[in-house]
Amino acid sequence: KPHFGYIITAYKAPTHKNWNFNVFYEALKTKGFVIYPGKASKADTFRIGSLGDIHAEDVQELLVAVKEVLAEMDIVLGQ
C-alpha cells in the first residue's frame, strides 16, 4: 500500500560560512530532489515537501543526498 505524504516542513538554514541556498538547491536537484526557499517566517529557512507517494526508501535517499551535498559544500554541522 503506498504512503501519501502531505506535509511541507521548514528547516532553519545553516549559519555556516559556506552555506548558499542556491548551491544547495542546484546540487540536490541534480540528485533528483527539489526543495523550496523558506517563506514561513523572517528566519532564514528552506522547505522540503513530503508530498505524494512517499516511502521510507525515498526519505533515506534524500538524507543521503543532503549529507553528500553538505560535504561537497564543505559544511559540517554540529561542530
Side-chain angles (χ1 to χ4, degrees), residues 13-59:
T15 56
H16 194 279
K17 63 182 173 75
N18 293 343
W19 173 253
N20 180 299
F21 172 79
N22 292 326
V23 171
F24 188 64
Y25 172 88
E26 289 298 331
L28 281 177
K29 187 175 176 184
T30 65
K31 295 178 183 291
F33 298 96
V34 177
I35 62 171
Y36 308 93
K39 294 184 179 181
S41 69
K42 293 180 182 180
D44 186 14
T45 63
F46 61 91
R47 299 175 295 152
I48 297 178
S50 54
L51 306 168
D53 189 10
I54 303 294
H55 301 270
E57 297 83 14
D58 302 314
V59 175

Side-chain angles (χ1 to χ4, degrees), residues 60-75:
Q60 284 300 111
E61 288 177 22
L62 171 63
L63 293 175
V64 168
V66 167
K67 184 177 180 178
E68 291 172 353
V69 169
L70 291 175
E72 292 166 9
M73 295 174 71
D74 199 23
I75 296 175

